[in-house]
Amino acid sequence: MISINDAKRLIKRALLSNIVSEKKDLAITPLVSGKHGIGKSQMIKSIAQELGGTCITVEGGTLKEGEITGLPYQYQAPNGDTKFRFLPYYAVERIQQEEQRLFLASGRSLPAASLSGDENLYSMNDLTPAEKLAAIKSGSVRLVIIFIDEINRTENAVYKELMNILLTRSVNGYQFPWWVLFVGAMNPSTQNSIYATNEMDPAQLDRFLKIKVGENTSEWLKYGKTSGISPQILNFIKDNPKSLSSSSKELNDEEKPTPSPRGWDMIDTLLKSEPLLRSFFTDRENEPKVVEKDLKALVSAKIGSSTATMFFASLVSQSHALSPEEIFASDENLVSLSAAITALSPAKKVQTCDLMLAHLKENIEFMMLNRPLFEKTKKQLCALVRLLDSSTRLLFAQNLASSTTNDGNSLIELLFDVFEQDLIEMLDLSDNTRRLIEASK
């Protein structure tokens, strides 16, 4: 769980990264998950205020079908302009008016032919990232954050409408301008949840950057002191921190972030944007330790902590995991690679073995068709195993013992002679598996 103060800084980084990104089809939309009453709404309003903008809150849990997109969908204003009524109508109308004002103030003129479809007549999406940042810093453009709260506590039809707006940044053919950013919020969603929620499928979830927010006692005590909460309450919570909020597992979110191609694309945007956005943060927030902590939290939120740890470890490592192609291109005894393999860190040795395991599972049947080449391959694998430390060697053997090829054959049976007998004895094998292994010798 991430505290409110840390989450505020992370969400601010994520939102601003959209301003400098030139990826037209990839928006980073934070999705805040946390229990009711911990301050999600106030956090987003505070971010908008710090950026000199405004926050428009849409209470998803109170909406009925049609209210978010509006009925009727559009109408003709007295001056002939097409107007929309949705989200609610007055909010989008104000956004359209501001977009038109900014367009005319820039000295631009409308094209001779009217635009149609999802193109906006007054859009200025051709500004460079530097021009966009300068406009925000000068105050000539005020950011708008549309905060859709309790997105998963809505009727099913409303839920679909809200998801479409969040993911496409458009509604009824109208594309929101670059200075309108979106944040969603949801209550924890679990199989045993006490909340009545819509379930978000993995494809939808992959389009968000999910930030799980939890309460932090020390933060809340500071907030309570500055906001004038009774000293009696503050003293009680200080002495009984568990009484600040329920710790029921039914309130926690069980969904775990996993890697995906879209996720890595988002991470690329976050990492590249950080140096360009430092003027929007304080000196303390720009300290290397704070920036490193924030980026690790953002990457972990998108692809999971294990993969994130491996990724950041690779950034500081002076070596890289060896690919199967590199190993098989060497000589029988891996003389040319022995120094490099020995110098690998434990993590890189494990990664090398994982890459080799995946390669063998997919290709070993084809490799066996060329008997002389397969014999050389086994000698190379023997040399690789001898160069590993004992714990990595054992892990590699255990993974082989529990793996099958794509055709369903046992890898350890096919490659038994790669490992020494004393190593095999260390494995926790069933009697049947052990007999199969012995028979394969």
Side-chain angles (χ1 to χ4, degrees):
M1 290 290 183
I2 300 171
S3 70
I4 284 288
N5 283 349
D6 285 346
K8 175 183 172 182
R9 195 172 61 249
L10 297 179
I11 293 169
K12 185 177 174 182
R13 291 190 189 278
L15 288 175
L16 288 173
S17 68
N18 291 299
I19 305 298
V20 299
S21 174
E22 297 183 1
K23 300 173 183 176
K24 296 182 179 180
D25 298 324
L26 182 75
I28 298 181
T29 305
L31 179 65
V32 188
S33 173
K35 295 184 290 185
H36 58 279
I38 63 173
K40 298 191 292 291
S41 300
Q42 186 56 44
M43 174 179 62
I44 305 303
K45 291 177 182 178
S46 178
I47 292 173
Q49 185 178 20
E50 286 185 8
L51 294 174
T54 185
C55 175
I56 298 174
T57 300
V58 177
E59 298 290 350
T62 64
L63 292 172
K64 301 297 182 183
E65 183 178 1
E67 289 181 338
I68 190 65
T69 53
L71 295 173
Y73 292 115
Q74 61 187 44
Y75 67 98
Q76 290 294 122
N79 63 359
D81 291 343
T82 298
K83 299 289 186 180
F84 296 87
R85 295 185 182 275
F86 42 75
L87 193 57
Y89 74 89
Y90 59 84
V92 172
E93 189 169 8
R94 281 158 44 202
I95 290 173
Q96 290 176 308
Q97 290 171 351
E98 178 64 8
E99 190 171 25
Q100 181 179 1
R101 185 191 70 79
L102 291 171
F103 181 90
L104 297 176
S106 69
R108 302 190 183 202
S109 57
L110 294 174
S114 298
L115 301 179
S116 59
D118 62 358
E119 294 181 88
N120 186 351
L121 194 63
Y122 300 105
S123 67
M124 292 194 294
N125 293 323
D126 57 344
L127 296 178
T128 67
E131 290 172 328
K132 292 177 181 179
L133 293 178
I136 297 170
K137 291 293 289 184
S138 68
S140 61
V141 171
R142 297 186 63 194
L143 289 178
V144 173
I145 299 178
I146 296 180
F147 175 55
I148 302 181
D149 199 8
E150 295 191 325
I151 185 174
N152 62 338
R153 296 194 71 190
T154 62
E155 297 177 358
N156 190 52
V158 176
Y159 175 74
K160 292 179 180 178
E161 292 175 347
L162 292 173
M163 289 295 293
N164 181 64
I165 293 170
L166 280 171
L167 296 178
T168 66
R169 293 174 44 83
S170 66
V171 63
N172 292 341
Y174 172 71
Q175 192 77 33
F176 288 96
W178 63 266
W179 42 268
V180 176
L181 305 172
F182 289 83
V183 178
M186 60 186 291
N187 296 116
S189 174
T190 69
Q191 293 180 346
N192 301 316
S193 177
I194 64 174
Y195 295 107
T197 60
N198 291 304
E199 294 296 327
M200 189 175 295
D201 65 60
Q204 290 175 326
L205 187 61
D206 187 42
R207 294 178 178 270
F208 291 98
L209 177 64
K210 190 173 182 181
I211 306 292
K212 297 181 181 181
V213 182
E215 68 280 347
N216 180 284
T217 304
S218 60
E219 280 187 7
W220 190 85
L221 289 173
K222 291 178 181 177
Y223 156 79
K225 187 175 181 179
T226 57
S227 60
I229 289 180
S230 167
Q232 291 90 337
I233 294 177
L234 296 177
N235 289 333
F236 175 78
I237 297 299
K238 183 178 181 180
D239 295 336
N240 303 275
K242 292 183 179 180
S243 297
L244 176 62
S245 177
S246 170
S247 59
S248 171
K249 292 183 178 180
E250 294 179 346
L251 294 173
N252 294 328
D253 196 330
E254 294 176 350
E255 294 171 334
K256 303 295 184 183
T258 56
S260 72
R262 181 185 289 111
W264 285 109
D265 210 349
M266 290 185 183
I267 289 168
D268 175 69
T269 297
L270 291 167
L271 296 179
K272 288 179 178 177
S273 67
E274 188 279 322
L276 305 175
L277 302 175
R278 291 176 183 172
S279 62
F280 289 88
F281 296 88
T282 65
D283 290 340
R284 190 195 70 80
E285 291 173 331
N286 283 322
E287 290 178 358
K289 289 184 178 179
V290 175
V291 172
E292 181 182 9
K293 174 186 173 184
D294 287 357
L295 292 178
K296 287 181 177 178
L298 288 168
V299 173
S300 297
K302 190 61 209 167
I303 60 174
S305 58
S306 297
T307 306
T309 299
M310 293 170 59
F311 170 66
F312 282 100
S314 71
L315 297 182
V316 298
S317 175
Q318 298 300 313
S319 59
H320 68 277
L322 296 177
S323 69
E325 291 77 14
E326 289 177 284
I327 292 172
F328 292 140
S330 183
D331 55 278
E332 285 187 358
N333 297 315
L334 303 185
V335 174
S336 63
L337 292 177
S338 60
I341 295 173
T342 304
L344 289 175
S345 66
K348 294 300 179 183
K349 289 178 181 176
V350 171
Q351 289 177 22
T352 298
C353 292
D354 288 344
L355 291 172
M356 179 60 73
L357 182 63
H359 181 83
L360 293 172
K361 288 169 65 175
E362 184 173 350
N363 297 291
I364 192 168
E365 278 94 357
F366 293 102
M367 297 163 68
M368 292 175 66
L369 296 176
N370 187 332
R371 199 67 193 178
L373 182 60
F374 185 57
E375 290 300 320
K376 177 185 176 183
T377 297
K378 289 199 292 184
K379 290 180 181 179
Q380 290 173 317
L381 288 172
C382 287
L384 173 63
V385 168
R386 286 195 301 270
L387 292 168
L388 299 174
D389 57 275
S390 58
S391 59
T392 306
R393 187 185 308 135
L394 176 58
L395 178 62
F396 188 27
Q398 288 174 325
N399 288 338
L400 276 168
S402 62
S403 298
T404 59
T405 69
N406 289 350
D407 288 341
N409 295 313
S410 170
L411 272 180
I412 194 67
E413 289 184 38
L414 300 176
L415 297 170
F416 174 75
D417 48 353
V418 169
F419 297 92
E420 298 177 0
Q421 184 63 33
D422 60 339
L423 177 61
I424 299 300
E425 292 296 331
M426 296 172 63
L427 301 179
D428 184 16
L429 302 175
S430 67
D431 291 339
N432 183 50
T433 302
R434 196 176 291 278
R435 284 195 296 271
L436 290 173
I437 292 173
E438 293 295 340
S440 69
K441 293 181 65 175

